[in-house]
Amino acid sequence: GFVRGGLRLSFTLLVGGERRGRVAWAAAEVLERIFGKLSQSLSNVYDITVDTQVQHYASLAVAPTKSKQHGAYVLTADTLNDFLSSDSMVLDMTSSTVRTLNFL
């Protein structure tokens, strides 16, 4: 028979500077609006789970660059290990059979 695969969508809000304490993030409403229809259409193929987290950081070790393609400042994948602490945030899910998409 057909076996559905697992798909995990992981969303991380990066909060910089000296701001500490509680952060308001209306993640559930935004994610439903953006990914709701996609999630419904893929639910026949994937068991989809969604998680969110807020990560605080002091300052970036690398400067974001302006991307003409995206119309925003971005960090390239090869610079992520320069400012993310592997002890506090797990992005590598290779030990799992669930496919993970990370959104920072």
Side-chain angles (χ1 to χ4, degrees):
F2 177 73
V3 177
R4 294 188 329 175
L7 180 62
R8 177 177 174 233
L9 304 177
S10 179
F11 296 87
T12 302
L13 176 64
L14 299 172
V15 179
E18 298 297 320
R19 183 177 175 171
R20 292 285 180 208
R22 296 184 70 101
V23 175
W25 185 20
E29 296 84 8
V30 172
L31 295 176
E32 177 60 32
R33 185 175 24 156
I34 295 172
F35 291 100
K37 289 183 181 181
L38 175 64
S39 177
Q40 287 175 352
S41 65
L42 292 176
S43 65
N44 292 328
V45 180
Y46 292 104
D47 286 321
I48 299 173
T49 59
V50 176
D51 65 58
T52 61
Q53 64 179 337
V54 175
Q55 289 289 321
H56 294 269
Y57 64 89
S59 60
L60 296 175
V62 295
T65 57
K66 181 75 173 191
S67 167
K68 291 179 183 177
Q69 177 184 1
H70 297 99
Y73 286 90
V74 299
L75 294 170
T76 59
D78 61 327
T79 63
L80 291 180
N81 62 348
D82 291 338
F83 76 97
L84 294 178
S85 169
S86 61
D87 296 334
S88 65
M89 186 158 84
V90 178
L91 293 178
D92 181 22
M93 302 301 288
T94 57
S95 61
S96 173
T97 59
V98 175
R99 294 178 181 176
T100 302
L101 297 174
N102 293 293
F103 299 88
L104 303 175

